[in-house]
Amino acid sequence: MKLVLSTCAKIAPVEHLHTAETHLGHAMGSPPLSSTVIGRWALLGWAAANSTNSVALAAIRQAPLHALDHVAIFVDHQRAGRGQQQRIWTQEPGRDLAMTAVVSKSLPEQHPFVLNLAVSLAVIEAIEEALPTVSRSGLEI
């Protein structure tokens, strides 16, 4: 076993010590009801929000660069959901998943639609794998 000693240390400003949970808790107005880490993803859940996209955007604007990388925000009920180009949709509480995934590092600079398509297909495939009794024809993104 080899022992390696650090030859330098970096002191981070206080705002960099906040976690994604803290930044999103401020944006939501309360701490999450659930918090789980799976691999490099932090999954944070609340009972309700107007829009998970709006909450994520508010937190991103206040947080240090990349502080919210690989964070998924989900709610049981989204009161005023919105998506790309301000599209609005409704959600049935307890039936539909309202979630925003934040990825800020290593994103393709060109063709962001391809990333959206890949994520959508990955979600459908993950649901099929995790819940084999669910029919693909009943799933919509």
Side-chain angles (χ1 to χ4, degrees), residues 1-121:
M1 182 168 131
K2 182 178 179 181
L3 180 63
V4 178
L5 297 175
S6 175
T7 57
C8 67
K10 179 180 177 185
I11 299 174
V14 173
E15 65 268 13
H16 291 266
L17 300 177
H18 292 287
T19 64
E21 189 171 321
T22 303
H23 292 295
L24 287 162
H26 287 299
M28 287 292 288
S30 66
L33 298 176
S34 66
S35 175
T36 305
V37 175
I38 299 175
R40 63 182 177 176
W41 283 91
L43 298 115
L44 305 173
W46 284 265
N50 285 335
S51 164
T52 58
N53 278 350
S54 296
V55 168
L57 187 56
I60 288 168
R61 287 181 174 153
Q62 298 298 316
L65 185 63
H66 303 308
L68 300 176
D69 185 54
H70 285 86
V71 174
I73 306 155
F74 66 92
V75 294
D76 293 329
H77 178 61
Q78 188 167 237
R79 296 180 292 262
R82 67 173 188 83
Q84 293 181 347
Q85 301 173 359
Q86 301 299 317
R87 289 187 181 114
I88 296 172
W89 69 88
T90 59
Q91 175 206 6
E92 189 176 329
R95 181 178 163 106
D96 299 328
L97 173 64
M99 181 185 80
T100 296
V102 179
V103 181
S104 61
K105 294 179 183 176
S106 304
L107 289 176
E109 293 182 22
Q110 297 178 349
H111 313 296
F113 177 76
V114 174
L115 176 63
N116 190 19
L117 180 62
V119 169
S120 297
L121 292 173

